[in-house]
Amino acid sequence: MKKTKNRWLIALSGVGIHICIGSVYAWSNFTNPLMNEFGWSASQVQMTFSVAILFLGLSAAFLGHFVEKHGPRKAGLLASIFFGIGVFGSGFAVHAGSLPLIYLFYGVLGGIGLGVGYITPVSTLVKWFPDRRGLATGLAIMGFGFAAAISSPIMDALIKSFGIANAFFILGIAYFIIMTLSSLYLEKPAEDWKPKGFKENAQKKVVTDLSQLTANESIKTTRFYYLWIMLFINTTCGIAILSAAKPLAQESIGLNTTEAAALVGILGLFNGFGRLGWASISDYFGRANTYTTFFILQIILFALLPHTTISILFQIMLAIVYTCYGGGFSTIPAFIGDLFGTKQLGAIHGYILTAWAAAGLAGPLFAAWIKDVTGSYANSLTFFSGLFVLAFIISLVIRIDIKKLKENKIRQSSNTASHI
């Protein structure tokens, strides 16, 4: 009889993969060194990050079926190959002094590794933690949020000690090894597996699976697009704040460059904590209630931020926004599991993540455009507050679908019971 793996070690393996691929959020460590070395503009170097996020979303969508068909181990190994080659190959691009090659290696190949690596542990953990879906996905995605704080000092030290190209070589090898070892432990649970004590509490805990749809069936439902729009708005507004947090803090509360940089680093921790905290809360509070809370908080905060000049209050408000941004990512896989089941959760999650790809382009570009037109990042915040009103309305409308699904579930259970 095959021994069942420890689900907490499965979760730890997921964290290992996400800490590696989440280093994409620390890309800015390479911005100034590459600009100084080759005379490239900030926007040219920053485009690497945008390309990587674009291909994250695209690969998650197109390769979600690969994850479901071939399992988490093969999918994780595929991610480690693409991401490892992407980062390692960027060293050759630097040696060649070629920006297009950096786009190809880090942006395209690395981005594909990002997308596959992102959805692989998440879809697996939802199956291992039917009793605590939010906590499980929050653990893995927390690793993605914390990765920048872990990777930034390491990247900075490697660049200073060994140069840009060698930093890419070392990181590429390290990421490949960590992701490969993590992937080798990943595995789906057996079809009939349940955690100890789960069956006894079945009536209390299994009510969350309101349907069991394939990915192609899910995109024909209105609730899929409700989730997509909610994630898109939460991510667009959040990523715009992330991209402009440093100059925004300097403009609004007069922090100097060093203080603003330190604030951004601290806020990154709230991004990570928000991923675990909000996802865990959603296990008890409900996914729809959690998303509605995100939007109520951010309608108020984005409206108040442009008019807040008290330093500590401004920083607390930004910290809350960062938790909501991170929480949006970590709560969505469990939300998908509730509404569509776990049959093809990885593929559905991949489709939903195209919202991230779109937001990764829309948010920073819109914030930068507002800055160019009005001279201030703060003016974009009022617009984002309005967007959150739309998201809030959708978070209420989706409850109509959820209510119908619950009623249908009860009806099916009654029909089944009457035939026994």
Side-chain angles (χ1 to χ4, degrees), residues 8-87:
W8 292 103
L9 290 180
I10 294 278
L12 184 62
S13 298
V15 172
I17 291 174
H18 270 233
I19 282 178
C20 292
I21 61 176
S23 63
V24 69
Y25 273 148
W27 169 256
S28 59
N29 282 277
F30 288 101
T31 302
N32 286 335
L34 288 171
M35 288 167 61
N36 295 335
E37 182 79 17
F38 300 106
W40 297 329
S41 68
S43 59
Q44 284 177 313
V45 176
Q46 191 62 21
M47 180 57 70
T48 310
F49 175 80
S50 296
V51 172
I53 296 299
L54 173 64
F55 275 86
L56 183 160
L58 293 175
S59 63
F62 286 106
L63 292 171
H65 288 283
F66 179 92
V67 177
E68 297 298 340
K69 182 178 179 180
H70 297 284
R73 185 181 295 114
K74 288 184 179 178
L77 291 173
L78 182 69
S80 68
I81 290 168
F82 270 100
F83 194 66
I85 290 174
V87 177

Side-chain angles (χ1 to χ4, degrees), residues 126-150:
V126 168
K127 297 179 177 79
W128 277 101
F129 287 83
D131 51 338
R132 283 181 277 185
R133 281 180 177 168
L135 171 66
T137 58
L139 278 171
I141 295 176
M142 177 189 68
F144 198 94
F146 279 140
I150 296 168

Side-chain angles (χ1 to χ4, degrees), residues 118-119 122 126 133-134 137-138 141 223-232 234-235 275 278-279 282 287 290-291 294-295 325-341 345 348-353 355-356 398:
Y118 189 91
I119 62 175
V122 173
V126 168
R133 281 180 177 168
T137 58
I141 295 176
R223 62 187 182 276
F224 174 90
Y225 296 96
Y226 292 150
L227 289 184
W228 195 98
I229 295 169
M230 287 193 296
L231 182 64
F232 173 75
N234 197 62
T235 307
R275 291 167 189 253
W278 282 114
S282 77
R287 320 301 173 200
T290 302
Y291 259 84
F294 290 159
F295 301 140
Y325 171 76
F329 284 117
S330 59
T331 306
I332 203 76
F335 211 163
I336 292 168
D338 294 350
L339 300 188
F340 301 104
L345 190 142
I348 300 170
H349 190 204
Y351 286 161
I352 291 281
L353 286 181
W356 188 4
I398 196 173

Side-chain angles (χ1 to χ4, degrees), residues 4 89 93-94 106-107 143 154 170 177 223 238 248 252 312 314 327-328 380:
T4 301
V94 170
Y106 197 95
I154 295 172
I170 295 167
I177 292 171
R223 62 187 182 276
L248 182 65
S252 302
I312 186 64
F314 185 90
S380 64

Side-chain angles (χ1 to χ4, degrees), residues 9 18 36 48 67 79 124-125 171 208 212 293 316 327 340 362 385 393-394 413-414:
L9 290 180
H18 270 233
N36 295 335
T48 310
V67 177
T124 305
L125 285 173
L171 288 169
T208 48
Q212 285 291 339
T293 303
I316 290 171
F340 301 104
S385 179
I393 293 169
I394 293 172
S413 298
S414 298

